[in-house]
Amino acid sequence: MSLRIITARVRVFWESLSTSYWFIPVLMMLGSVALCYTCLSVIERAFLPDFLQPLIPRVTPENVQQLLSTVAGAMITFTSIAFSMTLVALTLASNQFGPRLIRNFMNDKSTQAVLGIMVSTFLFCLLSLHHLSSIAENQDAISLLAGFTVFFAIVDCVTIVYFIHHVSRSIQADQVIANCFNAFCNSIDSLLPKPESDSAHKAVNESWTSTQESFPLVLHARCSGYVQTINYASFMAISAVKVSGSEIHVRSGDHVVKDAKLITLYCKQPFEAFAFSDLHNAVVLGSERTPIQDPEFAVSQLVEIALRALSPGINDPHTAITCIDKLTAACVLICQRDFPADTLVHNSTEVWLKRRTFTFEGIVDTAFSQIRQMAGSHTQVQVHLLNSLATLQSHCNALAVNTIMQHANSIYANSQTNTLCDSDRHAIDEAMLPFRRQHDV
């Protein structure tokens, strides 16, 4: 397996670690074990700076035992409270915003750190109690244990207060929407990298590629799942002696079934599939979508929040309007960026690659199609959609204007099927004016 493929798989593995509740707490627990060992056997109180010695007074083993027992019992109680609040937040997020938003809550480093601090303090106290009898004669170690235990207890008290504030803030709709938007903005450079002309590859027209006088070899999916990431560099690094080019039929975010057509290699002589078995590893499949190479992932999360808000059970058009504002801002951010080319060629070997890529028009469709379909009975949301599309149209190039115009015309046609009062109909007509001017031009 090449280094490129290993890097791609490590990236997916790191993504799964970052959205787990055990990774950071385990690291902090290991740190507490190391600190406990240090207090027991390495550091002596007499060697501490003079300004620290008054903070770590000498205490008796009986007092330390009582202190450790009290703090350990309090920490396990705090930990259970933190876990309960976390589960409540996850339940509310799943019901209110959609199950796909749960990964955002699990990716919250503050929650992971709070759980880690609580469990680490409990483990520190537990190990100290276990070794307390063996250090009864070491007054410096006992004093250090007491001092660190009191310090951890103070930190944990501040942490639990912060955690209550953080959880109550994190389940607010505006905060959830802002987090989704910020996640998209922070990853936009990796989702839409610089044009390939700046690297060893260059973009070419699809007509440049040729499949004549070649031997097509189709590689099928070995299992079902979502495409999480694709290492395109592995396909460009294929030897020109074997292959003239390749075509990838899937992209990140697609769901493929077992034995589906995944890759077509255009070989210069007949080959068996096992000769290119490593290329299967370049397309990483998993049980869920990830935002690693999928710019529509964060957009879909905002769309899901808006659709939930527009559902009859929730009926919260203000949340939907907030989502529309963030979706518009996201589309404005990427409208002037260069999207990855769908056909590449290696500058030196002339091995070419055809692939399915994301486009600005496709992201706009993902952002607004389902919302405008659900907003049929919400005139306020329809007007806001038209105003947002007008804002987006003023920032886009001519190629994207047609897509935006189609959405605006669909919204207007949908509004005409409703029974509207004169003021609502006037608001719809006013919002359509920028698109009519554009059509006249």
Side-chain angles (χ1 to χ4, degrees), residues 273-294:
F274 67 84
F276 301 96
S277 58
D278 286 347
L279 291 180
H280 278 101
N281 298 322
V283 181
V284 181
L285 302 180
S287 59
E288 59 184 4
R289 292 179 65 177
T290 63
I292 296 177
Q293 284 184 339
D294 189 357

Side-chain angles (χ1 to χ4, degrees), residues 41 72 117 201 216 239 253 274:
S41 59
I117 290 173
H201 318 134
S239 173
F274 67 84

Side-chain angles (χ1 to χ4, degrees), residues 38-346:
T38 302
C39 293
L40 292 173
S41 59
V42 179
I43 301 179
E44 296 185 5
R45 179 180 177 276
F47 294 156
L48 294 177
D50 294 337
F51 69 91
L52 286 180
Q53 292 190 16
L55 301 177
I56 307 178
R58 294 184 179 275
V59 293
T60 62
E62 293 77 12
N63 291 337
V64 173
Q65 183 177 5
Q66 184 177 2
L67 176 64
L68 290 172
S69 300
T70 302
V71 174
M75 287 309 103
I76 200 64
T77 303
F78 280 173
T79 303
S80 62
I81 293 174
F83 272 108
S84 299
M85 294 178 63
T86 301
L87 292 177
V88 170
L90 292 178
T91 303
L92 290 175
S94 178
N95 294 335
Q96 185 78 13
F97 307 115
R100 275 171 287 277
L101 269 296
I102 290 180
R103 73 170 306 280
N104 289 24
F105 286 83
M106 296 191 68
N107 195 34
D108 187 358
K109 298 300 184 293
S110 297
T111 301
Q112 297 176 17
V114 167
L115 296 176
I117 290 173
M118 301 289 183
V119 178
S120 298
T121 302
F122 173 75
L123 184 61
F124 179 87
C125 296
L126 194 64
L127 292 175
S128 299
L129 282 171
H130 183 263
H131 290 84
L132 191 59
S133 60
S134 64
I135 60 169
E137 305 299 327
N138 190 341
Q139 187 63 47
D140 285 341
I142 291 177
S143 300
L144 283 172
L145 286 177
F148 276 109
T149 303
V150 172
F151 173 75
F152 285 153
I154 295 173
V155 171
D156 289 339
C157 290
V158 175
T159 300
I160 194 66
V161 174
Y162 162 77
F163 183 67
I164 294 173
H165 164 76
H166 177 72
V167 170
S168 61
R169 179 178 172 82
S170 65
I171 60 177
Q172 297 178 15
D174 289 342
Q175 186 65 36
V176 174
I177 295 170
N179 290 339
C180 291
F181 176 72
N182 292 334
F184 177 82
C185 294
N186 293 334
S187 60
I188 191 171
D189 288 332
S190 61
L191 295 174
L192 300 174
K194 294 181 179 180
E196 288 82 3
S197 58
D198 296 337
S199 62
H201 318 134
K202 64 180 179 180
V204 295
N205 295 327
E206 185 176 352
S207 58
W208 188 92
T209 63
S210 176
T211 60
Q212 297 180 355
E213 299 181 357
S214 62
F215 301 88
L217 175 63
V218 179
L219 302 182
H220 298 276
R222 295 173 175 173
C223 61
S224 300
Y226 288 95
V227 180
Q228 295 181 333
T229 182
I230 301 175
N231 188 271
Y232 295 107
S234 299
F235 295 92
M236 301 301 296
I238 301 176
S239 173
V241 177
K242 295 181 178 180
V243 174
S244 59
S246 55
E247 183 177 1
I248 305 176
H249 304 287
V250 297
R251 67 181 184 183
S252 297
D254 287 350
H255 183 267
V256 298
V257 297
K258 186 178 180 180
D259 295 329
K261 181 188 281 189
L262 202 65
I263 306 160
T264 299
L265 300 173
Y266 295 94
C267 306
K268 295 184 177 180
Q269 55 183 311
F271 282 101
E272 296 294 334
F274 67 84
F276 301 96
S277 58
D278 286 347
L279 291 180
H280 278 101
N281 298 322
V283 181
V284 181
L285 302 180
S287 59
E288 59 184 4
R289 292 179 65 177
T290 63
I292 296 177
Q293 284 184 339
D294 189 357
E296 294 182 359
F297 185 86
V299 173
S300 299
Q301 288 184 326
L302 290 172
V303 171
E304 183 169 1
I305 298 174
L307 296 180
R308 290 272 177 145
L310 293 175
S311 64
I314 298 178
N315 194 21
D316 183 11
H318 295 289
T319 297
I321 287 174
T322 304
C323 291
I324 293 170
D325 291 336
K326 296 299 183 182
L327 288 169
T328 305
C331 291
V332 169
L333 281 176
I334 64 175
C335 66
Q336 301 298 333
R337 296 183 69 100
D338 293 320
F339 280 70
D342 56 1
T343 307
L344 304 176
V345 64
H346 199 283

